Amino acid sequence: MESPDNQFLIEVGHRLRQARLARGLNLHELARLTGISAPALSLIETGKRDPRLTTLSRIAAALRLPLPALLEGEPAPGPAKTAPSHDDKGYDLGDYR
């Protein structure tokens, strides 16, 4: 049986992966946006790594989510179904290379 701490890490990792995929990002793209290595992100997504709060905050900011969406399971908004507004510039991964 999973401990409550392990189960929490698995749930946070699952929400993180769902949010990343909903935004059409792969691990390497999210790594560039956050400055966190792709292998480290993979371990977080699978619940095998206990991330610091600052790490989760960087991930949430890169995914344009409030931190509670990763921690508490608030629904992650999916990709926009309408045309983007002039304020929505999307992801420019060129800035992170």
Side-chain angles (χ1 to χ4, degrees):
M1 184 172 181
E2 294 283 334
S3 75
D5 289 340
N6 287 348
Q7 186 59 37
F8 177 71
L9 292 176
I10 290 168
E11 290 170 6
V12 168
H14 180 73
R15 286 189 288 272
L16 166 57
R17 177 175 283 150
Q18 284 183 316
R20 176 178 58 79
L21 293 175
R23 282 150 184 78
L25 296 170
N26 64 40
L27 280 172
H28 295 284
E29 291 167 334
L30 185 58
R32 281 185 267 165
L33 290 168
T34 61
I36 301 163
S37 73
L41 288 169
S42 178
L43 289 173
I44 293 168
E45 285 188 356
T46 57
K48 296 177 182 170
R49 185 172 195 177
D50 190 350
R52 292 179 171 184
L53 186 57
T54 54
T55 299
L56 289 176
S57 179
R58 286 168 50 193
I59 294 168
L63 293 172
R64 299 178 182 161
L65 288 173
L67 183 56
L70 292 179
L71 298 176
E72 298 170 1
E74 294 175 9
K81 304 273 188 233
T82 60
S85 71
H86 68 288
D87 292 333
D88 184 13
K89 296 184 172 106
Y91 292 103
D92 183 4
L93 297 173
D95 294 340
Y96 297 94
R97 292 183 186 177

